[in-house]
Amino acid sequence: MNAIASAAVDSPMTSAQLDQLSINCIRTLSIDAVQQANSGHPGTPMALAPLIYTLWNRVMRFDPKDPIWPNRDRFVLSNGHASMLLWSALHLTGTRAVNAEYERLGRPAVSLDDIRHFRQLGSKAPGHPEYHWVSGVEATTGPLGQGVATSVGLAIAEAWLANRYNRPDFEIFGYNIYAVCGDGCMMEGIASEAASLAGHLGLDNLCWIYDNNHITIEGNTRITFTEDIAARFMGYGWNVLRVGDANDIDRIEQALEIFRKTKGRPTFIILDSHIGYGSPHRQDTAAAHGEPLGEEEVRLTKRDYGWPEDAKFLVPDAVREHFADGIGARGAQLHARWTELFAAYRSKFPELATEIELMQRRELPAKWDVGLPVFPADPKGIAGRDASGKVLNVLAQNIPWLIGGSADLGSSNKTTLTFKGAGDIEPGTPGGRNLHFGIREHAMAAAVNGLALSKLRAFGATFFIFSDYARPAIRLSALMELPTIFVFTHDAMGDGEDGPTHQPVEQLASFRAMPGLVVLRPGDANEVVETYRYVMQLRHEPAVLALSRQPLPTLDRSKYASASGVARGAYVLGDAPGGKPEVILIGSGSEVSLCVDAHEKLLAAGIRSRVVSMPSWDIFEHQTQEYQDSVLPPDVTARVAVEQASTLGWERYVGRSGRVIGMKTFGASAPLKELDRKFGFEPERVTDIAKELLGKGKKS
Ligand SMILES: Cc1ncc(C[n+]2csc(CCOP(=O)(O)OP(=O)(O)O)c2C)c(N)n1
Ligand SMILES: [Mg+2]
């Protein structure tokens, strides 16, 4: 007798029958949701339902009543197209919603109605897992490979938190990170970078479960993916396990137990599965990946499961009860014990407890900005990257949970934390402050996301040009609304002799096009200070900092306006005597001092010039119209913008009658001075163009 039938005659079910009923419930919810939406991915949820069931109901430390309890296990669905697995799990476990202010709302994170409206506007069961939209989602996934790479950051964070905050008899942090992935994730380069880093660091709190179904969209993986993946992960230093039957939940549980006992290295479980399991005509085919089964096949599949063929979105009470008895009871108990422990911890270690509480709300400690440098006026000046290094070292001492590092360019990016006791995060020293990401920019950015998801303040660094290698993860940072910090140095032609392979041109424009990301390109050392002051207070937005390699003059702030104007995105640095300018020069970064030079020359020539420093379009766009008009008065149409980058977009600030001095090509290999001459970044060119716009000079 099948499980549903036995439920119908009301005889008590065995626990094996309840297991099977729950698994089939995940399967049929997934099938029905995809069928109803007429879009989505049914096959992998059908295959992985036993895994998700086992992991959630038997293993994970997770309290459905409080999905943001800090000491919960983290679950990342890296094959995000199988999102119905997660929506089923969140629904069947009765996981409750929280809001952006971390308040618990009581209502379900994912209701049955949300599942009925899978992939529809407003539903809490969207196409792919979205952090910040659905409670219980630990990371936004969908771009394959991102989830597993993010999980490495989650694992680094757990080890760091445990190291800093645990005390004898007070295990405040002690959780695991599970990531489920498929062939696509394993083929993406970012997964290799991340696995290599995790293996190096020996992250034994990290478990990846690989859905080895031999199917991707174009068919069987024999046409694309034939490597020995077990050997590959052994090479990375992982503990590699295999479960030969995705329906064998006892074996799955056993493998997960081996993971929990394994010390000193991460675990990789290869799970052999059949996509579309149970569908008579779709199992093991690529069609099961991304197409609804069709009404008739749905019926046949349900028959195979012993499920009522015509029932839709059926959740037997016994399934809800079974999850309540499993993860519900276990999670509540673990959470209650932790709450008690934390109360005792708070009275014994009040300062540490306060840190944890601040961090959870993404707040900063008191006096976080004490001791920030003030740079005296200096025509020779200091490089953006050097000023940044000084500021970061002050901030990191004030904010104990600010950690980060570079992709092997720490000495060039000046991001190394050098104060006493800063230390490195390396195998055996998880509590350091400096991460060495190695030459793995993409995994670095994803790991930084994982750190931020764990509520640490985290930064990653490389040359601005190589942000291209990290962009997909930075995009997810913006999509997830994480306060990550990306420190990109060598921001323009300052790379000089390295030539066009190393000279960013279109990167500024492309980051400015990314919604929710704050891009800042400070113009001198004091603007660097103000940049960090602004960025550190962000709670829901990532920031990209574009910093110079070469020294920039430190402006005399008794003559020019205060650098605190950075917080408004753009500000009037210097003006015509008495205001009322006839021409406006606008610069960012290394071109600010160039504009200041040109401005002085214009004033000397009797031209009423204004010079505007514009470190951030994004911030400026959020100011009132009144403020924006006060900086760029609409009636002053003679405007020149100067930036060593693609000119794309500057029209919005210079208007139809203004001019932009920027880059139209990829640059060249030569000393910076020669490049400045070749590409026209000289004060005389700026003044010539300004005069031309005013009809006062020769045509340039
Ligand atoms: C970076 C990226 N490239 C392409 C896609 C489109 N895509 C979604 S699923 C998929 C196939 C994934 O195959 P696999 O991971 O084996 O998933 P399965 O079909 O076995 O569930 C592709 C190419 C994507 N989501 N992300
Ligand atoms: Mg596959």
Side-chain angles (χ1 to χ4, degrees), residues 294-308:
E295 293 293 349
E296 182 52 23
E297 191 72 6
V298 169
R299 250 190 295 277
L300 294 175
T301 306
K302 285 181 179 166
R303 187 185 300 168
D304 184 85
Y305 296 154
W307 200 261

Side-chain angles (χ1 to χ4, degrees), residues 46-229:
M46 292 158 74
L48 296 187
L51 166 70
I52 295 309
Y53 168 75
T54 311
L55 189 55
W56 282 68
N57 210 33
R58 290 192 178 177
V59 176
M60 265 170 47
R61 65 161 36 232
F62 180 84
D63 179 5
K65 297 227 159 47
D66 185 0
I68 56 169
W69 166 38
N71 198 29
R72 68 193 182 277
D73 284 344
R74 306 314 200 250
F75 172 81
V76 178
L77 189 70
S78 196
N79 47 354
H81 56 276
S83 60
M84 269 313 303
L85 282 171
L86 190 49
W87 308 147
S88 304
L90 291 173
H91 178 67
L92 296 175
T93 54
T95 299
R96 303 279 117 183
V98 290
N99 66 12
E101 296 308 310
Y102 312 117
E103 293 160 346
R104 277 172 270 166
L105 301 178
R107 61 174 170 71
V110 177
S111 68
L112 198 53
D113 208 45
D114 288 317
I115 291 180
R116 283 199 186 92
H117 292 90
F118 179 47
R119 292 181 153 243
Q120 309 306 306
L121 199 61
S123 169
K124 296 289 180 184
H128 292 84
E130 291 180 40
Y131 177 77
H132 240 281
W133 174 241
V134 190
S135 304
V137 174
E138 302 285 9
T140 295
T141 52
L144 297 169
Q146 291 291 336
V148 283
T150 304
S151 76
V152 173
L154 295 172
I156 295 170
E158 191 280 333
W160 190 92
L161 290 165
N163 182 277
R164 179 167 179 86
Y165 296 108
N166 290 356
R167 291 291 180 275
D169 298 325
F170 288 96
E171 187 178 289
I172 300 301
F173 293 102
Y175 59 86
N176 290 313
I177 292 91
Y178 298 94
V180 174
C181 52
D183 300 300
C185 289
M186 290 302 98
M187 282 190 248
E188 290 291 352
I190 188 175
S192 300
E193 292 180 20
S196 165
L197 180 60
H200 165 76
L201 291 173
L203 300 172
D204 53 21
N205 53 359
L206 179 64
C207 179
W208 289 4
I209 302 139
Y210 161 50
D211 175 28
N212 182 34
N213 65 9
H214 296 285
I215 292 290
T216 66
I217 292 176
E218 292 189 9
N220 193 288
T221 51
R222 82 173 74 87
I223 63 170
T224 45
F225 191 50
T226 50
E227 69 198 26
D228 181 344
I229 197 161

Side-chain angles (χ1 to χ4, degrees), residues 236-258:
Y236 291 142
W238 289 53
N239 177 34
V240 178
L241 306 173
R242 183 166 208 133
V243 174
D245 176 3
N247 287 314
D248 190 338
I249 57 177
D250 291 331
R251 280 290 162 83
I252 291 173
E253 192 178 5
Q254 233 172 38
L256 294 170
E257 203 175 308
I258 295 172

Side-chain angles (χ1 to χ4, degrees), residues 34-51:
V34 173
Q35 192 62 35
Q36 171 84 25
N38 198 23
S39 126
H41 305 79
T44 301
M46 292 158 74
L48 296 187
L51 166 70

Side-chain angles (χ1 to χ4, degrees), residues 439-467:
I439 305 131
R440 305 181 182 101
E441 293 83 4
H442 202 180
M444 169 177 74
V448 166
N449 288 348
L451 294 168
L453 285 163
S454 313
K455 307 290 177 71
L456 300 184
R457 287 311 300 264
F459 64 88
T462 182
F463 289 162
F464 195 28
I465 192 71
F466 303 133
S467 63

Side-chain angles (χ1 to χ4, degrees), residues 218-558:
E218 292 189 9
N220 193 288
T221 51
R222 82 173 74 87
I223 63 170
T224 45
F225 191 50
T226 50
E227 69 198 26
D228 181 344
I229 197 161
R232 172 178 154 199
F233 274 76
M234 280 191 258
Y236 291 142
W238 289 53
N239 177 34
V240 178
L241 306 173
R242 183 166 208 133
V243 174
D245 176 3
N247 287 314
D248 190 338
I249 57 177
D250 291 331
R251 280 290 162 83
I252 291 173
E253 192 178 5
Q254 233 172 38
L256 294 170
E257 203 175 308
I258 295 172
F259 151 64
R260 292 205 309 263
K261 289 187 179 144
T262 300
K263 295 291 161 226
R265 53 200 173 134
T267 291
F268 186 69
I269 302 176
I270 302 171
L271 181 67
D272 298 338
S273 83
H274 296 278
I275 194 167
Y277 176 80
S279 158
H281 303 103
R282 294 293 179 93
Q283 181 177 317
D284 295 319
T285 70
H289 164 90
E291 293 170 27
L293 296 182
E295 293 293 349
E296 182 52 23
E297 191 72 6
V298 169
R299 250 190 295 277
L300 294 175
T301 306
K302 285 181 179 166
R303 187 185 300 168
D304 184 85
Y305 296 154
W307 200 261
E309 289 176 31
D310 292 316
K312 293 214 164 103
F313 300 101
L314 172 66
V315 181
D317 289 342
V319 170
R320 288 190 203 284
E321 286 160 19
H322 192 48
F323 276 100
D325 293 345
I327 188 171
R330 190 180 63 250
Q333 198 184 43
L334 289 167
H335 187 184
R337 231 183 281 151
W338 184 90
T339 306
E340 221 172 276
L341 185 74
F342 192 71
Y345 181 84
R346 191 189 286 109
S347 54
K348 210 160 168 197
F349 308 103
E351 283 165 17
L352 292 178
T354 302
E355 281 189 17
I356 294 171
E357 286 166 342
L358 285 172
M359 202 188 312
Q360 292 306 315
R361 296 193 301 269
R362 296 203 188 286
E363 288 170 10
L364 296 168
K367 303 189 180 165
W368 65 272
D369 60 350
V370 162
L372 285 177
V374 177
F375 293 92
D378 177 1
K380 273 214 195 74
I382 167 172
R385 57 176 172 157
D386 286 314
S388 161
K390 290 187 196 307
V391 174
L392 259 180
N393 269 280
V394 173
L395 288 171
Q397 289 175 78
N398 294 346
I399 308 167
W401 54 95
L402 175 61
I403 71 171
S406 168
D408 202 46
L409 289 170
S411 53
S412 291
N413 300 139
K414 310 288 182 187
T415 44
T416 308
L417 301 175
T418 52
F419 56 89
K420 193 163 171 281
D424 289 340
I425 294 180
E426 277 295 310
T429 56
R433 308 290 296 279
N434 288 294
L435 272 153
H436 298 283
F437 291 104
I439 305 131
R440 305 181 182 101
E441 293 83 4
H442 202 180
M444 169 177 74
V448 166
N449 288 348
L451 294 168
L453 285 163
S454 313
K455 307 290 177 71
L456 300 184
R457 287 311 300 264
F459 64 88
T462 182
F463 289 162
F464 195 28
I465 192 71
F466 303 133
S467 63
D468 284 354
Y469 277 51
R471 177 179 312 273
I474 298 172
R475 184 174 192 273
L476 282 188
S477 216
L479 185 52
M480 288 192 270
E481 301 179 14
L482 298 177
T484 49
I485 304 167
F486 297 98
V487 181
F488 295 135
T489 69
H490 300 56
D491 67 337
M493 297 301 117
D495 239 327
E497 296 86 339
D498 274 339
T501 55
H502 283 54
Q503 290 159 351
V505 172
E506 73 283 17
Q507 282 65 26
L508 270 175
S510 66
F511 278 126
R512 284 171 179 153
M514 201 179 273
L517 176 74
V518 182
V519 183
L520 284 133
R521 186 169 184 250
D524 78 347
N526 289 309
E527 282 200 3
V528 171
V529 176
E530 296 309 312
T531 289
Y532 276 102
R533 196 191 303 279
Y534 183 88
V535 164
M536 291 314 301
Q537 296 176 77
L538 296 173
R539 292 172 74 222
H540 298 293
E541 291 137 314
V544 155
L545 275 51
L547 303 171
S548 77
R549 169 206 190 199
Q550 74 278 21
L552 307 179
T554 307
L555 297 174
D556 179 353
R557 298 287 170 171
S558 64

